[in-house]
């Protein structure tokens, strides 16, 4: 992992947009646009939306709200948002229907400041859990898992993306960090059972293990909806400390992601140069 000087790298100002999501797709897209432009007006140059920001979260809703990412209304709106904001936009996620096989995916699309789509991430690990007496949720009833990891380049550095349940699998962040990413971003929608237990803990674990920035962006909590999101969108620094967080309501938080602070930590605690790949595999190089 590189720890080269970042003195000539512009500062990345991150904004996490925690949105109230309704059953009205058009209203959700309009709300997202207003908040993206607000974040840009405050100087954010990397803006993140939540998981399933354009639709209610639930297996019964995914097929109903699914659309093509080649010409659907949500991707058109996201492209326009990024272009008008003149910022990189990680477009949360939307239910995607692939017209080639009619399968439905939980998909994040990423845009540059010109509004061009530069990366796409289909959720790799589907959220299939059953906590007796608390929650049962089976994404695999309607969704298909993605089959690739996602990193994209910016003038601030390389960034990795996962979606929600992907954060529980440390390999994604390990591979991203060893392949040069300075941040791992997760649009996510933890619930009222897993949120208090693991939302912040997992972000801090991924950050401190890999000495990188980690952020997770949730929808706002709506107790009238069928799925109750935990909220608490959060940014964690490469030392594992929480830089910014919020409550469960709609809003925006901001954080500067400073490469020199990350590089200084890596110089002071040089775990990457001390790894014993003679004893265990480098997951960033291991073939599936």
């Amino acid at each position: 992992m590189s720890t080269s000087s970042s003195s000539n790298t512009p500062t990345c100002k991150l904004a996490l947009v925690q949105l109230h999501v309704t059953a009205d797709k058009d209203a959700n897209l309009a709300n997202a646009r207003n908040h993206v432009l607000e974040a840009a007006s405050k100087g954010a140059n990397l803006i993140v939306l939540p998981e399933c920001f354009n639709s209610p979260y639930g297996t019964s809703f995914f097929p109903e709200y699914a659309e093509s990412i080649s010409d659907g209304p949500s991707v058109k709106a996201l492209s326009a948002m990024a272009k008008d904001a003149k910022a990189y936009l990680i477009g949360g996620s939307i239910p995607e229907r692939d017209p080639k096989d009619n399968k439905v995916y939980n998909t994040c699309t990423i845009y540059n400041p010109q509004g061009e789509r530069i990366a796409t991430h289909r959720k790799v690990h589907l959220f299939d859990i059953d906590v007796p007496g608390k929650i049962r949720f089976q994404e695999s009833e309607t969704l298909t898992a993605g089959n690739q990891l996602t990193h994209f380049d910016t003038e601030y550095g390389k960034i990795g993306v996962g979606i929600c349940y992907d954060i529980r699998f440390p390999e994604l962040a390990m591979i991203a960090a060893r392949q040069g990413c300075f941040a791992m971003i997760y649009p996510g929608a933890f619930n009222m059972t897993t949120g208090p237990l693991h939302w912040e803990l997992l972000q801090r674990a991924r950050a401190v293990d890999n000495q990188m920035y980690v952020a997770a962006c949730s929808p706002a909590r709506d107790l009238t909806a069928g799925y109750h999101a935990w909220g608490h969108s959060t940014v964690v620094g490469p030392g594992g400390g929480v830089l910014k967080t919020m409550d469960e309501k709609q809003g925006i938080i901001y954080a500067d992601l400073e490469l020199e602070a990350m590089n200084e930590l890596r110089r002071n605690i040089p775990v990457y140069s001390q790894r014993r790949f003679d004893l265990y595999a480098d997951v960033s190089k291991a073939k599936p």
Side-chain angles (χ1 to χ4, degrees):
M1 174 177 295
S2 173
T3 57
S4 60
S5 171
S6 55
S7 59
N8 296 322
T9 302
T11 298
C12 179
K13 184 171 183 177
L14 171 69
L16 303 184
V17 179
Q18 185 165 288
L19 291 175
H20 174 66
V21 179
T22 73
D24 186 331
K25 182 185 285 191
D26 290 340
N28 293 333
L29 294 175
N31 190 32
R33 177 180 174 82
N34 289 338
H35 282 80
V36 166
L37 295 181
E38 177 185 344
S41 75
K42 301 291 179 60
N45 45 37
L46 174 62
I47 303 171
V48 184
L49 296 175
E51 182 181 23
C52 285
F53 81 93
N54 73 337
S55 73
Y57 185 77
T59 54
S60 64
F61 298 110
F62 298 144
E64 177 185 353
Y65 284 78
E67 61 185 71
S68 168
I69 61 168
S70 62
D71 58 2
S74 297
V75 294
K76 289 180 179 178
L78 288 166
S79 172
M81 289 179 215
K83 184 176 182 179
D84 293 343
K86 298 180 176 61
Y88 288 93
L89 178 61
I90 297 177
S93 78
I94 65 171
E96 173 207 354
R97 186 180 300 279
D98 190 332
K100 292 182 292 186
D101 56 18
N102 208 38
K103 291 180 179 179
V104 178
Y105 299 87
N106 188 344
T107 301
C108 175
T109 53
I110 298 119
Y111 304 83
N112 66 17
Q114 291 73 49
E116 300 163 332
R117 179 154 55 96
I118 57 173
T120 302
H121 179 77
R122 288 171 167 172
K123 190 174 188 177
V124 173
H125 303 93
L126 297 183
F127 181 49
D128 285 0
I129 68 165
D130 190 351
V131 181
K134 293 187 177 180
I135 184 171
R136 181 184 184 277
F137 200 95
Q138 303 289 311
E139 278 191 328
S140 62
E141 291 176 350
T142 55
L143 294 179
T144 298
N147 60 8
Q148 67 179 26
L149 306 184
T150 305
H151 311 146
F152 65 96
D153 291 307
T154 73
E155 57 264 44
Y156 316 110
K158 187 184 290 187
I159 297 170
V161 174
I163 299 175
C164 199
Y165 202 55
D166 286 341
I167 198 173
R168 290 190 178 273
F169 300 85
E171 292 83 0
L172 272 71
M174 293 169 66
I175 291 168
R178 294 207 65 81
Q179 292 186 357
C181 293
F182 76 94
M184 195 74 194
I185 310 294
Y186 299 90
F190 274 36
N191 56 63
M192 298 293 287
T193 299
T194 59
L197 288 173
H198 298 144
W199 175 253
E200 182 182 301
L201 175 64
L202 286 165
Q203 293 172 69
R204 297 182 71 182
R206 299 294 85 83
V208 75
D209 278 351
N210 298 290
Q211 297 179 315
M212 70 192 307
Y213 290 96
V214 172
C217 186
S218 172
R221 189 182 308 164
D222 179 2
L223 295 179
T224 68
Y227 185 92
H228 301 159
W230 174 237
H232 296 272
S233 297
T234 300
V235 185
V236 177
V242 173
L243 301 181
K244 294 285 183 177
T245 191
M246 63 189 303
D247 58 18
E248 76 283 5
K249 301 179 181 66
Q250 179 168 274
I252 308 173
I253 56 172
Y254 302 88
D256 289 339
L257 308 186
E258 299 175 349
L259 295 193
E260 182 50 38
M262 179 187 73
N263 288 339
E264 181 180 6
L265 175 69
R266 292 176 177 177
R267 289 192 296 268
N268 293 342
I269 309 175
V271 295
Y272 274 85
S273 63
Q274 297 169 337
R275 292 196 186 275
R276 292 288 306 275
F277 292 132
D278 57 323
L279 299 179
Y280 43 80
D282 180 349
V283 295
S284 69
K285 296 180 179 178
K287 294 183 179 180

